[in-house]
Amino acid sequence: MCKIMHLMLGLILVLLLSVPVIIKASEADDGYSQCQNIVKNWASSSLDSEVKDDKHDLRDLLFFLHVPRTGGRTYFHCFLKKLYSNSQECPRSYDKLRVNPRKPNCRLLSTHDDYSMMSKLPKEKTSVVTILRNPIDRVFSTYEFSVEVAARFLIHPNLTSVARMARMAQRRRKTSGVSTLDIWPWKYLVPWMREDLFARRDARKLRGQLHLVANSSYDVEDILMPLREYIHHPIALDIVHNGATFQIAGLTNNSYFAEAHEVRHCVLKYHTLGEYVLEVAKKRLADMLYVGLTENHRESATMFANIVGAQVISQHTISSSSAKVATNDHSEQSSITNTISDANDQGNSTYQTLEDVSSTGKYEIARDNLTVGKLMEAYESCISSLRNSQSERRVNSLKRISPVNFTKEARRQIPEVVIQEIASLNSLDIELYNYAQHIFNEQQGHMTQRMVYARPPFTHSIPDVQKCCWRR
């Protein structure tokens, strides 16, 4: 009887212990199912919204969706600033935060905002372009740039001094430009790295540690957070990994979409749901006017000049011709209305209109004779200067955390196990990048086809394309 009682008590105990497990499993299943429905519904509604016009034609507004650390700043300064005047940039461009970019003559929007910005724009009148980079290299570069910018603050004795300086700088920026600390994702990543650098510097002072040796710039715990630690930090998991996929899908932590937070939460909790986000990102990538690749720098630049640049130049030509017609019309109207009794009022109105036209024209003078060939020549000159200044700034920043020095050689010393971990954490971005390579090849074929047939608006730039792009 005692044995039977012990067996029965044991069975009851097992059942009691298993109940919480069953309940937890049920809750887990319910949580997954609920999240799956949320993500599927969002993905379905996102995939249904299509633009029917030919994606190869440049529309009224160009939205440059700048994925961080892909070379987008080079495109902005060396291509887009050559193609568009300051007056044509939307107020949101780099990066006047949360400003609605609707204004007359707004033709260029260049920002780190994700695809949700399209909800603020006239979708049927907007073309989107972007650049993607090998995801592993992009993580390296994100880590390096976060450290580089954070190191600039080490000129201060402590974080209190940094905070005081930041308040003063913020007051100045209200009437001037913007800081890296205003821009997503650096407004999260740089302060994080800055606090880490100061904490490690303070710890070295307490230990009286003066001499430092670095076998690898990516693994110097006494100076900065090692890369192997950085990639597993909650902030990196939230913002850095699969960042291109989330940005192109419109689901960053900076998103305008109302449901973005809920969808992000579900995907970060249940990684298999990321496939739905990936499909949306692929669809959006496929619908873009242009997709460049950082690794294919020269081919990407040539393609941008021919696909985007040529059409912008064509738009300028048409708009310049329209402006001349408008000027002639207003001149004729002015001579007629001068015979009317209220000639003074009409004359003032005409003068203002002509002043507006000439004001626009002074920004367009350098663009009146612009061709694809001249654009590429200007681009080559610009990137050389830009790279020199960026390199100089990096050297000066990294002096503060010597002997750390981020170089191509230093990257080659990163352990394979760390590289594999980064690849695993960025599986969505790797798939998206592979898909972007396919799109890139298709774009090259389409560009070649248009050049062969010399169909407008490319006809006027064909000789320059031949001189510029195949002379090497």
Side-chain angles (χ1 to χ4, degrees):
M1 286 291 293
C2 286
K3 287 183 178 179
I4 293 171
M5 288 294 292
H6 279 300
L7 286 169
M8 290 181 66
L9 286 170
L11 182 61
I12 291 168
L13 184 61
V14 170
L15 289 170
L16 287 172
L17 290 171
S18 67
V19 167
V21 176
I22 293 168
I23 291 171
K24 285 180 181 177
S26 175
E27 287 175 353
D29 289 341
D30 288 345
Y32 177 81
S33 298
Q34 186 177 2
C35 269
Q36 187 180 39
N37 288 333
I38 290 169
V39 177
K40 281 180 71 174
N41 289 338
W42 169 81
S44 177
S45 63
S46 299
L47 291 170
D48 284 344
S49 55
E50 295 182 359
V51 177
K52 295 178 181 178
D53 294 342
D54 186 355
K55 70 172 185 178
H56 300 296
D57 293 337
L58 175 65
R59 301 182 186 118
D60 294 342
L61 173 62
L62 181 66
F63 172 22
F64 177 31
L65 193 160
H66 180 181
V67 177
R69 309 313 296 164
T70 58
R73 275 284 185 175
T74 303
Y75 271 56
F76 177 69
H77 287 289
C78 300
F79 267 140
L80 296 173
K81 295 289 281 183
K82 306 276 187 262
L83 289 165
Y84 292 93
S85 66
N86 291 337
S87 64
Q88 290 177 307
E89 285 185 48
C90 302
R92 179 80 174 117
S93 288
Y94 284 116
D95 256 278
K96 298 178 178 63
L97 304 175
R98 297 292 169 183
V99 176
N100 194 328
R102 296 177 184 274
K103 80 162 189 177
N105 302 320
C106 175
R107 292 290 178 267
L108 172 65
L109 176 63
S110 182
T111 169
H112 280 308
D113 270 310
D114 64 29
Y115 195 89
S116 66
M117 174 56 84
M118 287 291 282
S119 65
K120 301 285 184 182
L121 304 173
K123 192 170 183 179
E124 70 286 350
K125 294 183 179 180
T126 304
S127 292
V128 187
V129 298
T130 195
I131 309 168
L132 291 188
R133 184 176 188 175
N134 178 293
I136 295 171
D137 287 334
R138 203 177 76 82
V139 171
F140 292 160
S141 185
T142 301
Y143 171 77
E144 294 162 5
F145 187 71
S146 301
V147 171
E148 176 195 334
V149 178
R152 295 172 194 165
F153 294 90
L154 290 173
I155 191 173
H156 293 275
N158 51 51
L159 285 170
T160 304
S161 173
V162 171
R164 185 164 55 248
M165 182 275 295
R167 286 193 295 271
M168 293 171 60
Q170 190 172 26
R171 285 195 291 270
R172 287 197 302 270
R173 287 200 302 274
K174 286 181 180 178
T175 57
S176 60
V178 293
S179 162
T180 303
L181 295 177
D182 294 326
I183 302 171
W184 183 92
W186 312 117
K187 63 183 179 182
Y188 299 105
L189 300 180
V190 172
W192 167 38
M193 285 292 98
R194 184 175 62 193
E195 289 182 19
D196 180 79
L197 288 177
F198 272 88
R200 292 173 196 264
R201 186 178 72 173
D202 293 344
R204 290 198 306 276
K205 286 180 180 179
L206 286 173
R207 293 194 302 268
Q209 188 176 4
L210 299 176
H211 302 290
L212 296 165
V213 178
N215 294 322
S216 168
S217 292
Y218 297 87
D219 190 11
V220 195
E221 284 188 276
D222 290 333
I223 301 177
L224 74 159
M225 184 184 295
L227 178 62
R228 55 181 162 77
E229 184 181 334
Y230 172 93
I231 61 175
H232 292 293
H233 193 282
I235 293 177
L237 294 171
D238 185 41
I239 297 174
V240 178
H241 300 312
N242 293 314
T245 302
F246 280 101
Q247 192 172 351
I248 291 169
L251 292 176
T252 66
N253 64 342
N254 200 42
S255 178
Y256 285 97
F257 289 148
E259 64 272 39
H261 175 75
E262 198 171 25
V263 175
R264 274 175 57 80
H265 170 76
C266 285
V267 173
L268 293 174
K269 185 175 182 180
Y270 303 106
H271 293 170
T272 55
L273 297 179
E275 291 300 319
Y276 294 104
V277 178
L278 179 62
E279 289 308 308
V280 172
K282 283 182 177 179
K283 175 65 168 59
R284 289 184 170 155
L285 208 62
D287 287 341
M288 291 185 185
L289 171 65
Y290 165 87
V291 177
L293 300 175
T294 306
E295 287 70 24
N296 297 71
H297 165 71
R298 188 162 297 281
E299 297 92 334
S300 291
T302 300
M303 200 181 305
F304 187 90
N306 282 278
I307 291 177
V308 182
Q311 295 194 69
V312 176
I313 291 167
S314 180
Q315 284 185 351
H316 283 321
T317 303
I318 294 168
S319 122
S320 178
S321 299
S322 300
K324 288 176 182 176
V325 171
T327 301
N328 291 336
D329 288 347
H330 282 296
S331 297
E332 291 175 13
Q333 181 64 32
S334 179
S335 65
I336 294 170
T337 53
N338 281 336
T339 62
I340 306 176
S341 59
D342 58 346
N344 289 336
D345 290 341
Q346 183 64 40
N348 290 336
S349 174
T350 304
Y351 175 78
Q352 185 61 51
T353 304
L354 289 169
E355 187 176 51
D356 291 342
V357 171
S358 64
S359 175
T360 303
K362 70 183 179 183
Y363 289 102
E364 304 299 333
I365 290 172
R367 298 175 182 87
D368 282 346
N369 298 316
L370 187 62
T371 63
V372 172
K374 290 177 182 177
L375 178 64
M376 282 299 296
E377 288 172 4
Y379 172 80
E380 293 290 350
S381 174
C382 175
I383 60 169
S384 176
S385 173
L386 195 63
R387 283 173 177 169
N388 287 338
S389 63
Q390 289 172 339
S391 176
E392 184 179 346
R393 193 168 191 184
R394 167 172 280 206
V395 168
N396 290 333
S397 292
L398 295 183
K399 281 179 182 176
R400 305 186 190 285
I401 52 173
S402 178
V404 170
N405 187 22
F406 299 128
T407 63
K408 290 181 180 179
E409 180 58 35
R411 279 192 189 183
R412 283 193 279 269
Q413 295 175 12
I414 296 172
E416 184 63 27
V417 64
V418 175
I419 294 173
Q420 290 304 319
E421 285 176 3
I422 293 173
S424 175
L425 290 165
N426 289 272
S427 58
L428 298 179
D429 269 12
I430 288 172
E431 278 200 57
L432 187 67
Y433 182 76
N434 291 337
Y435 185 69
Q437 289 177 311
H438 169 71
I439 292 174
F440 186 80
N441 292 332
E442 284 189 339
Q443 283 177 168
Q444 282 187 311
H446 182 77
M447 180 187 75
T448 303
Q449 185 180 25
R450 292 193 77 157
M451 288 170 57
V452 167
Y453 287 102
R455 192 176 75 187
F458 296 86
T459 307
H460 65 279
S461 61
I462 293 285
D464 292 296
V465 172
Q466 291 170 340
K467 282 193 295 181
C468 162
C469 306
W470 285 283
R471 65 185 174 193
R472 296 179 181 83

